[in-house]
Amino acid sequence: MDAEDGFDPTLLKKKKKKKTFDLDAALGLDDGSRKEEPKEDAPLDSGAADLEDNLDLESFGKKKKKKKKPFNLDELEGALPSAKEGEEEESNAAVLEEPEDDDINLDMDFSKDKKKKKSKKKDLDELFADKDEEDKSENKENVDDNSSSWAGTDRDYTYDELLKRVFEIILDKNPDMAAGRKPKFVMRPPQVLRVGTKKTSFANFMDIAKTLHRLPKHLLDFLLAELGTSGSMDGNQQLIIKGRFQPKQIENVLRRYIKEYVTCHTCRSPETILQKDTRLFFLQCESCGSRCSVASIKSGFQAVTGKRAAIRAKTT
Amino acid sequence: MSIQNLNTFDPFADAIKGADDDVQDGLVHIRIQQRNGRKTLTTVQGLSSEYDLKKIVRSCKKEFACNGTVIEHPEYGEVLQLQGDQRENICQWLTKAGLAKPDQLKVHGF
């Protein structure tokens, strides 16, 4: 955990992006993740389709021979076979990777593949600008093919078909994933209001603690330690924090809490129990059974921000 | 594509890493505190006492154009305190100066 939380200013941006993606899905705070999937699929399809035509045109008889040959030979013969080979490997790699990874990683892989595809596609376009136009007409026919059409024939399968096939297999094997592809962890956004000028109220604090299945006190300790302020629960079960905070800021802290104390560090499922065992907190996962210790909440050094005279008057 | 199972894994990598760390308990905590109005304070806790914190703060003050002090704390040792939200700056500075590795920095706050 420590290594992950470590701060690399250059890496941070990337890391944060990934994290927000995961956590968004976990929190269900916004529908970004849901929207992203179709978006990613669409360009991938078109890119793959464009490529697979080149592959199809060339690959009917002589593909096996080509593959054995060293790379520079291919280059001599022309860019098309080499590109084809690259594409082949990619598609193979993608197919091999997919079944192992969990759904979150799946998305990452896709984006990676997509990028590679795009660059490849550009090269191809430059080289075979004229050929592509012919290909596009055939392209439509290929897309219409269903996933197992190649099963009986001796022609080579295309990337699209393999992709479809692997998704069908995934959905067959895991029927529970079929609906959303992700068991979502839905949470309401924190309701944060300003009370006066110096205090902030966190209205649905109890609700959030309940949805996370954590003791309100634990969450309270974490929030106050992270924000470096003081605060307390008031009469109607809302949290009053000293200082001005935006909902976005509270959300960030909640995300960090969820990452550290709610989601399982091994399988990232939110079905976990936090137990206290000899002064240490342990996170026990309900779905994968892993158990690991989590950092205790320490507020650390607190600088003097109030009036020193008032503090002095209090102590003496 | 590499096969993950065949990669060699060094089981003592963490131990080696822990041995040469420059900070006590391995982590540098960077926190932010709100003051009156929209003013803030940044505190850096956990830098090793081997370093001359006064020199560090002098350089930071110049670099970030802010004021700052070193505070002696009985429990946490010497703590660096800078005015304003210098979390990003101090993280970059510490890694650039080689005082702490990126995975040793822990940033708190919103």
Side-chain angles (χ1 to χ4, degrees):
Chain A
M1 213 58 236
D2 284 347
E4 261 194 50
D5 273 338
F7 188 91
D8 178 0
T10 55
L11 273 177
L12 178 81
K13 281 286 148 56
K14 269 186 214 163
K15 266 194 183 168
K16 262 201 181 151
K17 260 185 196 163
K18 277 185 193 170
K19 287 287 132 64
T20 47
F21 181 74
D22 290 354
L23 281 170
D24 279 345
L27 276 166
L29 282 173
D30 52 6
D31 295 340
S33 60
R34 240 180 274 158
K35 276 172 204 158
E36 226 162 274
E37 281 165 34
K39 243 191 263 166
E40 270 180 12
D41 282 344
L44 175 76
D45 279 339
S46 62
D50 278 354
L51 270 180
E52 109 213 352
D53 280 291
N54 290 334
L55 190 143
D56 262 358
L57 283 177
E58 291 290 311
S59 63
F60 270 102
K62 46 189 174 174
K63 209 219 79 200
K64 286 280 146 58
K65 253 189 277 166
K66 282 269 165 64
K67 243 194 155 180
K68 292 274 142 49
K69 276 176 189 168
F71 203 74
N72 42 0
L73 258 184
D74 279 345
E75 275 174 22
L76 284 176
E77 284 184 344
L80 188 68
S82 72
K84 184 189 76 191
E85 211 175 73
E87 211 255 353
E88 276 278 321
E89 277 165 18
E90 262 167 44
S91 61
N92 284 346
V95 170
L96 281 175
E97 272 168 33
E98 273 159 29
E100 299 162 7
D101 290 331
D102 59 335
D103 33 337
I104 292 160
N105 283 346
L106 252 178
D107 286 348
M108 303 273 175
D109 284 339
F110 271 85
S111 56
K112 257 187 254 156
D113 275 3
K114 194 181 75 184
K115 263 173 217 158
K116 270 198 241 158
K117 281 271 151 64
K118 279 263 167 78
S119 59
K120 276 272 161 65
K121 197 194 152 198
K122 244 176 215 165
D123 295 345
L124 273 180
D125 281 349
E126 283 161 25
L127 288 168
F128 297 94
D130 50 341
K131 219 170 201 181
D132 260 4
E133 259 119 71
E134 301 167 29
D135 294 349
K136 251 161 208 161
S137 57
E138 276 186 38
N139 185 5
K140 260 129 216 166
E141 292 160 31
N142 271 345
V143 170
D144 290 338
D145 287 351
N146 73 29
S147 59
S148 53
S149 63
W150 49 273
T153 62
D154 60 343
R155 82 182 173 86
D156 274 301
Y157 35 76
T158 59
Y159 177 76
D160 243 16
E161 287 164 352
L162 283 178
L163 195 68
K164 251 185 228 159
R165 197 173 112 92
V166 84
F167 269 108
E168 269 167 28
I169 292 168
I170 289 173
L171 287 185
D172 281 351
K173 296 262 160 84
N174 312 296
D176 54 326
M177 253 167 51
R181 283 226 304 129
K182 267 174 219 164
K184 279 267 168 60
F185 186 53
V186 182
M187 232 180 80
R188 259 160 288 148
Q191 290 166 6
V192 176
L193 317 156
R194 178 79 60 76
V195 181
T197 50
K198 283 186 175 170
K199 283 179 191 162
T200 310
S201 130
F202 186 171
N204 57 355
F205 170 73
M206 284 307 260
D207 288 348
I208 283 175
K210 248 173 221 154
T211 48
L212 295 176
H213 302 289
R214 289 290 169 270
L215 287 176
K217 188 175 176 302
H218 188 254
L219 182 55
L220 176 90
D221 283 348
F222 181 84
L223 276 176
L224 295 183
E226 277 296 295
L227 297 170
T229 55
S230 53
S232 58
M233 305 290 298
D234 82 342
N236 37 12
Q237 298 296 294
Q238 58 181 14
L239 176 64
I240 307 290
I241 315 168
K242 201 179 152 207
R244 305 173 177 193
F245 297 100
Q246 305 298 316
K248 191 84 196 146
Q249 296 172 325
I250 301 285
E251 203 184 296
N252 275 338
V253 181
L254 275 176
R255 272 174 213 282
R256 226 176 299 159
Y257 180 83
I258 289 165
K259 190 179 151 242
E260 179 76 33
Y261 296 102
V262 180
T263 53
C264 171
H265 293 194
T266 318
C267 68
R268 295 201 213 143
S269 101
E271 284 138 27
T272 53
I273 303 175
L274 196 68
Q275 295 165 321
K276 197 168 189 178
D277 204 351
T278 58
R279 286 193 282 174
L280 288 172
F281 278 108
F282 284 94
L283 197 67
Q284 172 105 40
C285 182
E286 295 275 83
S287 48
C288 75
S290 82
R291 181 177 158 90
C292 61
S293 68
V294 288
S296 59
I297 298 168
K298 266 186 267 170
S299 64
F301 172 74
Q302 292 287 314
V304 181
T305 50
K307 288 216 167 65
R308 281 167 205 271
I311 297 163
R312 215 169 292 148
K314 221 183 252 174
T315 49
T316 51
Chain B
M1 199 182 102
S2 66
I3 299 164
Q4 216 162 27
N5 290 346
L6 296 181
N7 285 352
T8 51
F9 172 70
D10 182 11
F12 300 109
D14 279 349
I16 293 162
K17 205 173 71 189
D20 66 356
D21 66 355
D22 301 324
V23 288
Q24 302 148 347
D25 106 46
L27 279 179
V28 179
H29 296 273
I30 294 160
R31 293 195 175 80
I32 188 160
Q33 267 183 285
Q34 284 195 337
R35 283 175 58 221
N36 42 1
R38 45 175 293 161
K39 291 175 183 165
T40 48
L41 271 181
T42 309
T43 60
V44 182
Q45 177 203 319
L47 280 171
S48 167
S49 50
E50 286 168 30
Y51 300 127
D52 190 346
L53 282 246
K54 277 189 190 128
K55 278 188 181 159
I56 291 174
V57 94
R58 209 175 298 150
S59 160
C60 284
K61 281 159 73 168
K62 211 165 213 177
E63 187 93 1
F64 315 147
C66 67
N67 208 349
T69 53
V70 179
I71 291 179
E72 270 293 340
H73 195 274
E75 190 182 340
Y76 304 117
E78 287 182 317
V79 179
L80 227 142
Q81 182 176 312
L82 297 165
Q83 286 183 5
D85 185 356
Q86 311 289 351
R87 288 176 296 168
E88 295 261 319
N89 291 337
I90 194 75
C91 284
Q92 268 160 22
W93 191 88
L94 285 175
T95 41
K96 208 179 77 196
L99 297 183
K101 287 182 210 84
D103 55 343
Q104 289 172 327
L105 298 169
K106 190 160 170 66
V107 183
H108 299 267
F110 34 82

